[in-house]
Amino acid sequence: MGKTVDYYFSPISPWTYLGHARFAEMAKRHGAVVNVKPTDFGKVFPVSGGLPLPKRAPQRQAYRLVELKRFSDYLKLPLNLQPKFFPAPADLAAQIIIAAGRAGGSEAAMRLAGAVQRACWAEERNIADAGTLAALCKEQGMDAAALAAAAQTDAVKAEYEANTQEAIARNVFGAPSYVIDGEIFWGQDRLEFVERALAAR
């Protein structure tokens, strides 16, 4: 059995999208257990010094676009720098990913999370829309109606809030963050270090 990774992310984060497939492959290769933890970074930012994108300084917003294109080109991953449906509320997408995990385990949650991220950043689809999320569930061979119902339950909403409070308590401040043996690795550009941690015995 490999190590355990607590994976804190926002379904609408482009950086999470850029790292998700590589992280999923890496975790599988090392036999790691992934605890999939969609997190409300709208609550994390105010207590960690972060700012939502529209409130960041113009030079930071401009450089973000440069970096997104740079990584998209380097990783050969399609990415719309300014997608049609961004920014958008990510809560419902997060809750459906949690519901998928409760129904089908970590692998199901990871698969749906990847589909949701691609939908926003590569396919110009609105991941805040219940119909879009239902279609994504069906495309992944999942029971869309059951997941939509589960996503609205108190248990799933409580898990989403618990993930968020846990992230804050563990000093997570940005998405994606991978936590291994209590050590935080922030950002898809730190996956090389994640791999080293997973390979260490």
Side-chain angles (χ1 to χ4, degrees):
M1 180 65 73
K3 295 195 173 186
T4 297
V5 186
D6 292 328
Y7 179 32
Y8 299 93
F9 65 94
S10 168
I12 204 161
S13 155
W15 307 108
T16 301
Y17 162 66
L18 287 169
H20 185 81
R22 282 182 297 144
F23 170 59
E25 184 279 326
M26 184 183 294
K28 196 169 187 179
R29 184 157 32 87
H30 288 282
V33 175
V34 180
N35 294 326
V36 183
K37 294 179 177 284
T39 301
D40 184 353
F41 281 86
K43 293 180 178 177
V44 173
F45 283 168
V47 297
S48 64
L51 288 174
L53 183 60
K55 293 186 177 179
R56 294 176 198 166
Q59 58 268 50
R60 287 179 179 267
Q61 293 193 43
Y63 186 71
R64 170 183 170 276
L65 295 176
V66 172
E67 280 275 84
L68 285 174
K69 184 175 189 311
R70 191 176 281 159
F71 273 107
S72 172
D73 290 347
Y74 175 69
L75 297 169
K76 295 179 171 55
L77 271 178
L79 183 143
N80 297 315
L81 290 178
Q82 295 176 305
K84 186 175 179 182
F85 299 104
F86 176 87
D91 295 344
L92 185 56
Q95 288 164 211
I96 283 201
I97 292 165
I98 290 169
R102 292 169 78 94
S106 175
E107 191 275 334
M110 287 290 284
R111 196 154 40 88
L112 185 57
V116 167
Q117 294 156 27
R118 278 193 309 278
C120 176
W121 291 101
E123 298 168 0
E124 297 285 42
R125 297 164 79 180
N126 182 5
I127 68 164
D129 175 67
T132 300
L133 292 169
L136 290 168
C137 291
K138 287 175 185 170
E139 288 161 22
Q140 295 303 313
M142 299 176 182
D143 186 334
L147 292 181
Q152 298 295 346
T153 61
D154 290 343
V156 164
K157 291 177 181 178
E159 184 170 332
Y160 184 37
E161 178 64 18
N163 291 345
T164 301
Q165 294 306 319
E166 182 180 285
I168 291 168
R170 298 181 82 177
N171 296 325
V172 166
F173 56 88
S177 287
Y178 318 91
V179 181
I180 304 170
D181 295 332
E183 185 175 357
I184 299 170
F185 301 83
W186 170 50
Q188 58 85 31
D189 51 341
R190 297 297 183 269
L191 279 171
E192 184 178 334
F193 292 101
V194 171
E195 177 128 52
R196 290 183 191 181
L198 293 178
R201 287 287 177 262

